[in-house]
Amino acid sequence: MSAEGLSNLLHEERRFPPSEEFAAGAVAQSTLYDDAASDRRGFWGRQARDLVHWDTEFGEILDWSDPPFAKWFVGGRLNVAYNCVDRHVEAGHGERVAIHWEGEPGDSRAITYAELQRLVCRAANALTDLGVTTGDRVAIYLPMIPEAVIAMLACARLGAPHSVVFGGFSSEALRSRIEDAQAKVVVTADGGYRRGKASALKPAVDEAVGRSTSVEHVLVVRRTGQDVEWTNGRDVWWDDALGKASTEHAYEPQDAEATLYILYTSGTTGNPKGIQHTSGGYLVQCAYTHKYVFDLRPERDVFWCTADVGWVTGHSYLVYGPLANGATQVMYEGTPDTPHRGRWWEICQKYGVTILYTAPTAIRTFMKWGEDEVARFDLSTLRLLGSVGEPINPEAWVWYRRVVGGDRTPVVDTWWQTETGAIMISPLPGITAAKPGSAMTPLPGICADVVDDSGEPVPNGSGGFLVLTQPWPGMLRTLWGDDERFLDTYWSRFPGRYFAGDGAKKDDDGDLWLLGRVDDVMNVSGHRISTTEVESALVSHPKVAEAAVVGASDPTTGQGIVAFVILRGSAEEGEDTARELRDHVTQAIGAIAKPRQIMVVAELPKTRSGKIMRRLLQDVAENRELGDVTTLTDSTVMDLIREGMSGGSAADEA
Ligand code: WTA
């Protein structure tokens, strides 16, 4: 963000206090802040008892004797799936709809808690029959269909950590994740619906698993009915396996610290990191944040988080948070513009959605499509809106509230990460007078600060790096199989504090403004993609000698990927090569990592120590006057690059 953009942000004068009516009925009370401040651990202990069922009561609330390796709710035992499903049935809510699922072609399913219980039990039995036991890893590579939730809960029931891989990732990305976690079973589907077409998933699994040593079985959901290759003995149809399985399953309580799942996310270097989450602390924070940040009343709300289950937002607010709280929610398979640009609003109207949680990139897309697409539908049931995944610009915030929220709903801008497990910084609806563009303050029980280069907290009105200063229940415990990298990535920059990798500002009131990544991680449509990952994909192509990738600001997607490449001697420049390289990145990582623009250059600007000057490349990439040219060996870009290079070492980057 430019300096000017920043100072505009910090002079945001608008305030949106909750209406009296909302405040009077709000789930969160301001006493939460005092309770947490006076006894943080006790506060979390109370949340844990209040929101979660424990088969064995925990002793110590937090063991922080070996930082940064935390243990929360020590000695406690629970079953996450029991908490998300069975206990609601036992409490008499079996007939409540857990999931209103809407398929892209228009088919739909309503799954009650009682039915969900039977399905999860069947799936747990089916996985057991395939040899899955406590501690085994299960990879899940599915479209947005209920079976994704069922498979995750079945794993949780068995204490078998799942590793969900976003269905848009390539077979290569899937393979490396399967390998890293040594998954024993992969749950997938023949395909899914996307933009009005059936797209295949199974071939990617066949390719990935063909070379894997760990996978014994592939469990295949039939979604599209398309033809699939079949490996006898290895592949099993989901319907066959579940059809044979009993609807009863006796769960084993798991230790609070037992791994619930691994979820891979991009890092600045090397392979994606396997973020490791536990059962107890994670579930407590998901349930706590889902209840208070979304002002949840499970008996009357219809909650819709639009994230894909392949991302952490889907894990925490499509599966574990809402289900732990016994909520009714919506799950949608497809894209927002299929078959028309009002599809989301039609869904809101159809199910009477009361709480909507989505990403700024979606909001900006709707802004582009125009208010009329929204106005065609009755959205009067909406009473709260949430945003996540990237900084939300004040204009988008205000538009969201006015056009979607009918000028009456609170908007909660929630900051968190795959690593934090659940929401960390957010307004509390009914309490906070929110400012458009600011995530405001850490939630009760969470401690964050903004520090300068040397780790000193900055005064109000200044910026720096966001750190988390106290452990929290949903924190990642380590990176799968790599404690060293865990220590190095998050705990070495500011010893004793967690380094989030985000830049932030405190405004004059001390409220927090999150400004995006300060490392080499890009944020494209709310998805984290590392520049190094895309660079490695590019240089693995025979035509590429060297590559540098930057995230250039984009009015809709937040950032867009721009690649500068030096071709090998004999390779030809031009559109064909650019297309070939783009496809190559899609193959290697997935379509979400496909560069928006590829610029062929003769050299890359480097510092004296040989580091690529990304900031300069970013300036070049963001210069709108350059247009959409892809071949720039002799154009202004190279002049700019050269100019920058002769500018000396002042631009040496950290
Ligand atoms: C960014 C998604 C500003 C941030 C839950 C963070 C945000 C990264 C916000 C994590 C927000 C997320 N305001 N930036 N409200 N929420 N981010 O792991 O850069 O996919 O580090 O988790 O998204 O992305 P992740």
Side-chain angles (χ1 to χ4, degrees), residues 263 265-266 275 311-313 317 357 360 387-392 412-420 422-423 425 437-439 466 498 500-503 513-519 521-523 526-528:
L263 182 59
T265 188
S266 292
I275 307 293
W311 310 114
V312 76
T313 308
Y317 300 104
Y357 190 33
S387 172
V388 62
E390 40 175 329
I392 180 163
V412 288
D413 174 15
T414 64
W415 179 89
W416 59 295
Q417 311 176 293
T418 308
E419 290 86 341
T420 69
I423 298 170
I425 304 175
S438 168
L466 182 73
Y498 171 91
D502 276 325
W513 296 74
L514 284 311
L515 304 172
R517 306 289 309 185
V518 292
D519 53 14
V521 175
M522 300 173 285
N523 191 327
H527 301 146
R528 274 165 71 169

Side-chain angles (χ1 to χ4, degrees), residues 562-585:
V562 177
F564 295 82
V565 296
I566 302 176
L567 296 179
R568 285 188 191 279
S570 56
E572 300 232 341
E573 296 171 16
E575 269 307 322
D576 286 350
T577 302
R579 195 173 319 116
E580 199 177 317
L581 297 183
R582 275 205 197 96
D583 290 347
H584 182 72
V585 175

Side-chain angles (χ1 to χ4, degrees), residues 188-190 202 206 218-222 226-238 240:
T188 189
D190 48 359
K202 177 81 170 26
D206 291 333
V218 178
L219 191 54
V220 189
V221 178
R222 202 191 302 269
Q226 60 204 130
D227 286 340
V228 290
E229 298 269 327
W230 204 253
T231 304
N232 286 325
R234 186 197 71 185
D235 297 353
V236 181
W237 285 111
W238 170 276
D240 292 348

Side-chain angles (χ1 to χ4, degrees), residues 305-381:
C305 164
T306 66
D308 192 284
V309 282
W311 310 114
V312 76
T313 308
H315 282 60
S316 301
Y317 300 104
L318 186 85
V319 183
Y320 294 112
L323 296 178
N325 288 335
T328 294
Q329 56 174 341
V330 169
M331 177 178 190
Y332 171 54
E333 180 184 33
T335 51
D337 53 353
T338 309
H340 58 81
R341 290 176 165 184
R343 184 69 189 270
W344 277 22
W345 317 118
E346 188 177 50
I347 291 173
C348 284
Q349 175 181 289
K350 176 172 173 186
Y351 296 107
V353 171
T354 58
I355 306 163
L356 179 68
Y357 190 33
T358 193
T361 186
I363 299 164
R364 291 190 297 261
T365 303
F366 294 125
M367 288 172 76
K368 215 163 60 185
W369 290 347
E371 295 181 23
D372 292 351
E373 298 289 351
V374 190
R376 289 197 285 133
F377 299 93
D378 177 5
L379 301 182
S380 59
T381 52

Side-chain angles (χ1 to χ4, degrees), residues 107 129 190 208 220 242 395 441 461 576 584:
D107 47 339
D129 288 345
D190 48 359
V220 189
L242 265 73
E395 289 63 41
T441 53
D576 286 350
H584 182 72

Side-chain angles (χ1 to χ4, degrees), residues 137 174-183 214 262 264 271-274 479-482:
R137 276 81 58 203
L174 173 64
R175 189 201 58 78
S176 68
R177 286 158 174 79
I178 289 173
E179 282 291 301
D180 191 71
Q182 288 290 293
S214 64
I262 309 162
Y264 288 85
N271 295 328
K273 306 174 287 197
L479 296 177
W480 182 255
D482 204 344

